[in-house]
Amino acid sequence: ASACIFIFTTIGSLIILSREEKLYRQDLINQGNVLSEISRLTLTNVMVYNELGMMDKQDLIDYLDYFIMNLMERDKRVRYVMILDKEGGVLAHSNISESSKVYVDEPLWKAITTLEKTEITEGSFQKEPVLRILAPLNIGTKRWGVVSTGLSMREVHESISSLKREIYALIVIFSAISLLLISVGAKVLSKPVIRLSRIMDGIKTHGDIEQQSFEFRDRRDELGEMQKSFLWMIQRLIDADKEHKKTIEVLSQTEKMVSIGRLASGVAHEINNPLSGITLCFKNLIESNVDNQTKEKLIAAINDGLQKIKGIVGQLLDFSRMTVTEKKPVDLNSLIDRLLVLLNYPASKKNISIVKDLAVEVPAILIDENKMSQVFINIMINALQAVDGGGRLTIRTMVENGCCLVSIEDTGAGIPPEVMPHIFDPFYTTKGVGEGTGLGLSVSKGIVEQHGGTIEVDSKVGSGTAFRVRLPLHP
């Protein structure tokens, strides 16, 4: 609004200035016309007297000099006066040094010979803007010459400049006042909108809509309608938030029950197999008369089953992250070299080549060596199991974005898209009964997260799988 006021005020001021400038100039031109007409009539009469012999040439020149001097004394705006005869000779001039000079330049000569009425143009005299007035000294076709007068335009320019300064000052003052009034009015009008905005910011920041207070002054304008709509929307949000919380709570409980059921089912399934064998062995030991050799076999079978149960419980403890990590600086490249020694035999048995690309700039990082060994061994064994004969297992290390990255890539069958979302779920496995508990990757993910890192999987069916373990250099 202030910009519009400024623009319209400026345009209006420029129009006024242009009009006033034209009026000033026209007024000066009118005064020049009057002055030239008086001079023309006076000097024409003198020329007639001279023509009739009522005054000689010297009297004529003296009168013309007196006329010029008198004219310039009466009107201080007159800068020069020059009277020429019909041959272009100077009869009288306000500058004595110009006396007896003959002007043969085209503009003056044209005025002497053809000028029928007063001609007024703008020019300059001694670097000062003047109105140049050329008036013919003639009666009918009888010509005696011309009178040229220079009327100063300084007063006009000063008046226009003063008017410009006044108008510019008014533009600035009016613009400032309008800006002040509009800003005050805008603040008054925008208060309800600002309050609504603050309430929305409070809801966005604190989140709990029910803790916010909404009190508005009753209005009967558009802002009042907006307030009503806002309150209606807030009530809908409160209702939706309550329903959302209830839904989240139900889903949370359901998810907990599903997780507990899956965990219980997995534990029961994994422990039930060795427990059944142990029960059978005990039954044979108690109820049957067996020899010492058979007893030893039964006791060994019982011990083997107990060890399997112990291993499952140990994995459960790792999964629940109840074990304590013992971190110390470890050279990852050296650790991987040692682990690969254990995998050389099973890899060569399946004709799988192992490729190492270990970056030399990887520094020692603070980790639990035993637990991270378990993570890498789990991933590498899974990779070997996924690759058929003639495949490749690639292990890379590098430093990237403040982390140490360990990439384990295989050229196996890949992980199907429907299996990918569940690979880190506890007791989820695609292997046959007795081949795995489904806790390996779940435990590995927990160990990596204990170290402040992340584990990522990228797989394509038929091309292979890549596991990337990121560990912070400065946890």
Side-chain angles (χ1 to χ4, degrees), residues 193-207 212 214 230 233-234 237:
V193 180
I194 293 172
R195 189 161 184 274
L196 287 176
S197 176
R198 286 176 180 169
I199 291 172
M200 292 302 294
D201 286 340
I203 293 171
K204 183 175 69 174
T205 304
H206 302 294
Q212 304 289 328
F214 310 106
F230 176 78
M233 180 190 70
I234 290 296
L237 284 174

Side-chain angles (χ1 to χ4, degrees), residues 45-64:
N45 290 334
V46 172
M47 293 299 179
V48 171
Y49 293 152
N50 178 253
E51 186 83 17
L52 296 174
M54 298 174 63
M55 58 170 57
D56 57 19
K57 186 159 179 89
Q58 187 60 43
D59 291 336
L60 174 65
I61 292 171
D62 290 341
Y63 180 83
L64 294 177

Side-chain angles (χ1 to χ4, degrees), residues 56-319:
D56 57 19
K57 186 159 179 89
Q58 187 60 43
D59 291 336
L60 174 65
I61 292 171
D62 290 341
Y63 180 83
L64 294 177
D65 288 337
Y66 170 77
F67 174 82
I68 291 172
M69 183 178 65
N70 187 46
L71 180 62
M72 294 184 71
E73 285 180 355
R74 283 190 292 112
D75 196 335
K76 298 299 182 183
R77 295 174 301 173
V78 178
R79 291 292 175 262
Y80 70 86
V81 179
M82 178 173 59
I83 302 170
L84 304 176
D85 59 19
K86 58 185 178 180
E87 281 80 25
V90 177
L91 294 175
H93 201 292
S94 56
N95 186 357
I96 297 174
S97 62
E98 297 287 328
S99 299
S100 303
K101 188 175 180 181
V102 177
Y103 284 92
V104 292
D105 56 309
E106 186 177 348
L108 277 175
W109 185 252
K110 185 179 179 181
I112 292 169
T113 57
T114 62
L115 193 65
E116 295 291 338
K117 58 182 180 179
T118 301
E119 182 179 274
I120 299 177
T121 57
E122 289 187 22
S124 63
F125 176 74
Q126 296 179 354
K127 297 182 180 181
E128 181 182 351
V130 294
L131 207 63
R132 298 175 61 182
I133 307 167
L134 278 174
L137 300 176
N138 68 319
I139 298 175
T141 57
K142 181 67 176 176
R143 295 178 178 275
W144 288 280
V146 295
V147 55
S148 177
T149 308
L151 197 61
S152 174
M153 298 183 69
R154 178 177 291 174
E155 290 185 7
V156 172
H157 286 185
E158 288 177 353
S159 299
I160 293 172
S161 298
S162 176
L163 183 62
K164 284 181 179 179
R165 287 193 295 271
E166 291 175 1
I167 289 179
Y168 291 155
L170 287 174
I171 290 173
V172 172
I173 292 169
F174 285 148
S175 298
I177 292 172
S178 67
L179 180 61
L180 179 63
L181 293 176
I182 290 170
S183 61
V184 171
K187 285 181 180 178
V188 172
L189 290 173
S190 62
K191 273 184 179 179
V193 180
I194 293 172
R195 189 161 184 274
L196 287 176
S197 176
R198 286 176 180 169
I199 291 172
M200 292 302 294
D201 286 340
I203 293 171
K204 183 175 69 174
T205 304
H206 302 294
D208 194 351
I209 304 176
E210 296 180 16
Q211 298 299 322
Q212 304 289 328
S213 58
F214 310 106
E215 295 180 2
F216 298 106
R217 186 169 60 87
D218 189 30
R219 302 175 66 104
R220 296 185 179 181
D221 54 5
E222 290 83 355
L223 289 174
E225 293 297 322
M226 186 172 69
Q227 287 175 358
K228 291 177 183 177
S229 299
F230 176 78
L231 290 173
W232 176 84
M233 180 190 70
I234 290 296
Q235 188 58 47
R236 292 293 300 272
L237 284 174
I238 291 172
D239 295 340
D241 189 54
K242 288 179 180 178
E243 291 296 325
H244 177 69
K245 287 178 179 178
K246 287 180 182 179
T247 305
I248 291 295
E249 188 176 348
V250 171
L251 286 174
S252 177
Q253 293 297 327
T254 304
E255 189 174 349
K256 286 178 183 178
M257 295 304 295
V258 169
S259 298
I260 292 171
R262 185 183 298 163
L263 182 64
S265 174
V267 171
H269 178 75
E270 292 298 328
I271 293 179
N272 190 52
N273 289 332
L275 196 60
S276 298
I278 292 170
T279 304
L280 183 61
C281 289
F282 266 116
K283 186 176 180 182
N284 290 333
L285 279 173
I286 294 170
E287 296 180 356
S288 303
N289 294 321
V290 293
D291 54 21
N292 290 333
Q293 187 177 0
T294 306
K295 280 184 179 181
E296 288 178 0
K297 289 183 179 179
L298 291 173
I299 291 170
I302 291 169
N303 184 60
D304 186 55
L306 290 173
Q307 290 301 318
K308 285 184 179 179
I309 293 173
K310 182 182 177 181
I312 293 169
V313 172
Q315 286 187 322
L316 281 172
L317 287 174
D318 285 336
F319 174 70

Side-chain angles (χ1 to χ4, degrees), residues 353-406:
S353 61
I354 297 177
V355 179
K356 290 191 298 181
D357 183 12
L358 308 181
V360 294
E361 69 270 13
V362 175
I365 61 173
L366 201 63
I367 58 173
D368 186 318
E369 185 173 355
N370 292 329
K371 289 193 173 185
M372 287 310 301
S373 298
Q374 182 183 348
V375 171
F376 296 140
I377 282 290
N378 275 338
I379 297 173
M380 290 176 187
I381 288 175
N382 286 344
L384 290 177
Q385 292 173 347
V387 178
D388 292 330
R392 185 175 65 253
L393 175 65
T394 305
I395 295 93
R396 292 189 177 90
T397 61
M398 66 185 73
V399 176
E400 185 180 273
N401 298 326
C403 291
C404 180
L405 175 64
V406 180

